[in-house]
Amino acid sequence: MVDILSRAGLFKEAKDFIESVPINHGTCLWRIVLGACHNYRNFDIGAYAGERVMELGSQDSSAYILLANIYAAWSRWDDVERIRGLMRLRGVDKDPGCSWVELYNTVHVFVARELQHPEIEDIYAELRRLIKNMKDEGYRPASRSPCHDYLESEIKFQTEEASQLMASALS
């Protein structure tokens, strides 16, 4: 029922339903509401649901990340740091992002913050070129989030780090 209400954007009804159920449902139902609120950008109930998940001591890293992102969207940086600190305190780890693509019968794997790909310098040079071209053509994100700034700075940092690693490897 909570999933149906949340998917329909009926968050107050989902919240009321959870609070009216006399059984211990753990973090599961609040986590459903948190994820849907993040998708629908209903940050009031999303933050409420996320705080319920935190009170229940979740070990699900995605719940911490979703709640921290909700607070970041509100520019509530103290709350972002509080949630990240709680994550560290409880020993909750986030697995790094991973993606892959197959080109010419070769699978290329990319893991966040990893600089092991043999063509890493060329990849980041192409990313910088694409970002510049998009900006030159007038592209602007529909909504600027703190994550956009972080991503751009991370690409710059990883490119510089890759260059330093390559230079030290060659010397």
Side-chain angles (χ1 to χ4, degrees):
M1 181 55 88
V2 171
D3 189 41
I4 291 168
L5 292 169
S6 296
R7 286 174 187 252
L10 301 172
F11 302 115
K12 183 182 179 328
E13 292 81 354
K15 175 183 172 281
D16 292 345
F17 180 82
I18 294 170
E19 291 176 339
S20 72
V21 176
I23 60 169
N24 179 359
H25 46 74
T27 63
C28 179
L29 299 181
W30 287 119
R31 175 61 183 80
I32 291 168
V33 174
L34 172 61
C37 283
H38 182 269
N39 291 341
Y40 276 87
R41 302 183 60 79
N42 183 322
F43 298 147
D44 289 324
I45 294 180
Y48 181 85
E51 290 295 343
R52 301 297 73 75
V53 172
M54 297 302 111
E55 286 173 8
L56 294 167
S58 175
Q59 292 295 303
D60 174 14
S61 66
S62 66
Y64 292 82
I65 302 303
L66 286 171
L67 183 55
N69 287 344
I70 284 173
Y71 286 137
W74 271 343
S75 297
R76 290 175 51 177
W77 304 114
D78 289 343
D79 285 320
V80 170
E81 283 306 310
R82 179 177 58 84
I83 298 303
R84 289 180 180 165
L86 190 58
M87 197 173 172
R88 284 188 296 274
L89 181 70
R90 292 179 176 171
V92 177
D93 291 323
K94 179 188 176 303
D95 293 329
C98 179
S99 60
W100 57 91
V101 62
E102 182 177 342
L103 296 171
Y104 307 111
N105 296 320
T106 301
V107 176
H108 298 269
V109 178
F110 301 93
V111 178
R113 296 183 174 265
E114 187 176 284
L115 303 171
Q116 302 302 315
H117 194 281
E119 298 176 53
I120 194 72
E121 280 194 53
D122 293 337
I123 291 167
Y124 278 106
E126 184 64 15
L127 281 173
R128 282 193 310 275
R129 187 188 69 74
L130 289 170
I131 290 169
K132 180 185 180 316
N133 286 352
M134 290 168 62
K135 285 181 179 179
D136 290 349
E137 292 293 323
Y139 171 78
R140 299 291 175 265
S143 66
R144 184 90 184 170
S145 78
C147 297
H148 288 104
D149 295 327
Y150 173 79
L151 180 60
E152 286 182 7
S153 67
E154 191 68 13
I155 289 172
K156 181 179 181 202
F157 169 77
Q158 287 191 8
T159 303
E160 290 168 357
E161 189 174 328
S163 295
Q164 290 170 358
L165 286 171
M166 292 295 199
S168 64
L170 295 173
S171 59

